[in-house]
Amino acid sequence: MAQGNLAPKDGAAIYPSLRDKRVIISGGGSGIGAGIVEGFVRQGARVAFVDVQSEPSEALMQELSGAVHAPIFMHGDVTDCDDYGAKIAIFIEKLGGCDVLINNAANDDRHKLAEVTPAYWDERMAVNLKHQFFAAKAVVPAMEQAGGGSIVNLGSISWHLGLEDLTLYQTAKAAIEGLTRSLARELGRQNIRVNTIIPGNVKTPRQMKWYTPEGEAEIVAAQCLDGRIQPADIAAMAMFLASDDARFCTAHNYWVDAGWR
Ligand SMILES: NC(=O)c1ccc[n+]([C@@H]2O[C@H](COP(=O)([O-])OP(=O)(O)OC[C@H]3O[C@@H](n4cnc5c(N)ncnc54)[C@H](O)[C@@H]3O)[C@@H](O)[C@H]2O)c1
């Protein structure tokens, strides 16, 4: 299968059904999102992504420029619903439709109860929850036109564990699971599947801001499996859920957490 000079990495699955698929990803410039962008591009999908960080996004574009379909990047802030909606419309036009939406962008800034104001609440819900709903709303007509689609929402293990200093992030991430089940019911008859991926602790540049080597060792000790989860491990699940192999998977949570309890 010709993929320009990029193909799925050795040993990785190849999904023929993802080839030429039109995929929109939020927060694709770094961390897990960058792994998801790379994964889909390596499958020969047509990928468009938005991110607030231009520098890593452009570096990623450069890295993937030899692909059969080089990805499209637009700088954008998902908390500005109107602007993000307009960018999604541009992506749909450029890609010629939309088959897959990956709602990935989020921000896990820490806070204490006493510090939270109504404005901070709104801002946290905007960056962690609201855009997932409105991005889904924006792509549904294109997915209907395509005869179906797959929406993948990034949730989090954090609220299942009840971690410290993350009340608003965890509130939003808990709501995403309800959003997934509700949209899956509403959109199922249009053959649009909606699922949540629940990552455990994934080794990304941002997470390394929070964790010391001792903290990382504690996470590994709490997992069933040794080793640190990488963005590519989350991308692997996203690609499966987006592929036709997952055609009867909808309305559920898919954990990639190495058995962290
Ligand atoms: N890394 C983990 O351990 C972990 C664990 C559980 C869940 N998750 C979830 O996985 C997803 C990706 O996490 P990550 O660790 O890669 O995060 P990250 O912070 O490393 O990357 C998020 C990306 O989204 C972008 N982004 C942030 N705010 C944005 C905005 N307003 N508009 C546009 N782009 C914006 C960032 O610039 C960044 O490129 C998130 O939904 C996160 O909640 C991550």
Side-chain angles (χ1 to χ4, degrees), residues 26-34 36 50-53 56-57 76-80 103-108 126-128 131-132 153-158 169 173 176 197-207 211 228 231 234 260:
S26 65
S30 67
I32 292 171
I36 295 173
V50 69
D51 204 293
V52 273
Q53 296 189 70
S57 301
D77 183 340
V78 297
T79 65
D80 181 340
N103 279 322
N104 168 76
N107 183 296
D108 62 352
V127 74
N128 288 311
H131 67 89
Q132 294 208 358
N153 297 326
L154 272 288
S156 174
I157 195 172
S158 55
Y169 174 81
K173 289 295 180 183
I176 285 166
I197 295 179
I198 304 189
N201 190 280
V202 183
K203 190 160 182 166
T204 60
R206 181 175 163 88
Q207 289 308 310
Y211 289 99
R228 299 285 279 120
I234 309 302
W260 186 14

Side-chain angles (χ1 to χ4, degrees), residues 135-178:
K137 185 179 174 203
V139 300
V140 160
M143 288 185 174
E144 282 175 336
Q145 212 176 353
S150 173
I151 298 173
V152 177
N153 297 326
L154 272 288
S156 174
I157 195 172
S158 55
W159 75 271
H160 293 272
L161 297 172
L163 300 180
E164 265 184 303
D165 299 337
L166 281 167
T167 298
L168 300 190
Y169 174 81
Q170 293 181 156
T171 300
K173 289 295 180 183
I176 285 166
E177 294 183 27

